[in-house]
Amino acid sequence: YTVTYTATDSSGNEATAVVRTVNVVDTTAPVITITGDATVTIELGTTYTDEGATATDLSGDITVTSTSTVDTSIVGSYTVTYTATDASGNSATAVTRTVNVVDTTAPVITLTGNNPVTIELGATYTDEGATATDLSGDITVTTTSTVDTSIVGSYTLTYTATDASGNEATAVVRTV
């Protein structure tokens, strides 16, 4: 911007005009504010929807850009980074949100075959087993108890499973 100064004395004499140049500059970076909590915890396998962030700056509206490493199919701690630059090229200090993906859901055990099972005294019993499903991946099902086909009686097989996060399934029982 230019400001021009002129002066005239009482006799009508005009001074030579003087010009001043005023430069208005923007050297202030935008400020980013996270929308919502800076740390978020979500369950494994759910959908993560980021709440985003906003930026303020004297130069007007600023677009905030985010980069994310969140993988809701894997337990872990992830970072969402927010950045913004104003029209004058001033970059805001990056702001981050931590997203913790946790597994608090126990596996579910499903018996394979019939329950109860009836077999003849002295026959060979082959257990059909059970399977477990869990978002964290393959789960091993373990069985306690045995069936002694040489002795008439009622036997209980108990199936259990624990996922990688230590969540224990509700035990399932088969009666033979």
Side-chain angles (χ1 to χ4, degrees), residues 80-169:
V80 180
T81 303
Y82 303 96
T83 57
T85 304
D86 67 16
S88 298
N90 301 306
S91 295
T93 300
V95 176
T96 60
R97 179 187 325 266
T98 301
V99 179
N100 295 309
V101 177
V102 298
D103 178 10
T104 61
T105 304
V108 175
I109 300 173
T110 304
L111 288 176
T112 305
N114 295 324
N115 185 30
V117 174
T118 302
I119 61 168
E120 189 64 35
L121 179 67
T124 301
Y125 174 71
T126 304
D127 185 41
E128 293 187 63
T131 60
T133 56
D134 190 74
L135 291 174
S136 64
D138 293 334
I139 303 297
T140 301
V141 178
T142 57
T143 306
T144 58
S145 303
T146 57
V147 175
D148 184 350
T149 60
S150 66
I151 301 172
V152 173
S154 180
Y155 298 89
T156 301
L157 299 175
T158 303
Y159 302 86
T160 59
T162 303
D163 67 17
S165 297
N167 300 306
E168 294 181 8

Side-chain angles (χ1 to χ4, degrees), residues 18-125:
V18 176
V19 176
R20 179 187 308 247
T21 302
V22 178
N23 295 313
V24 178
V25 296
D26 178 8
T27 59
T28 304
V31 175
I32 300 172
T33 304
I34 289 178
T35 303
D37 295 328
T39 301
V40 176
T41 300
I42 62 170
E43 185 68 23
L44 177 70
T46 61
T47 301
Y48 172 67
T49 303
D50 188 58
E51 292 185 64
T54 59
T56 55
D57 190 73
L58 294 175
S59 65
D61 291 337
I62 303 296
T63 301
V64 176
T65 304
S66 67
T67 55
S68 173
T69 61
V70 177
D71 183 349
T72 62
S73 67
I74 300 172
V75 171
S77 183
Y78 300 92
T79 302
V80 180
T81 303
Y82 303 96
T83 57
T85 304
D86 67 16
S88 298
N90 301 306
S91 295
T93 300
V95 176
T96 60
R97 179 187 325 266
T98 301
V99 179
N100 295 309
V101 177
V102 298
D103 178 10
T104 61
T105 304
V108 175
I109 300 173
T110 304
L111 288 176
T112 305
N114 295 324
N115 185 30
V117 174
T118 302
I119 61 168
E120 189 64 35
L121 179 67
T124 301
Y125 174 71

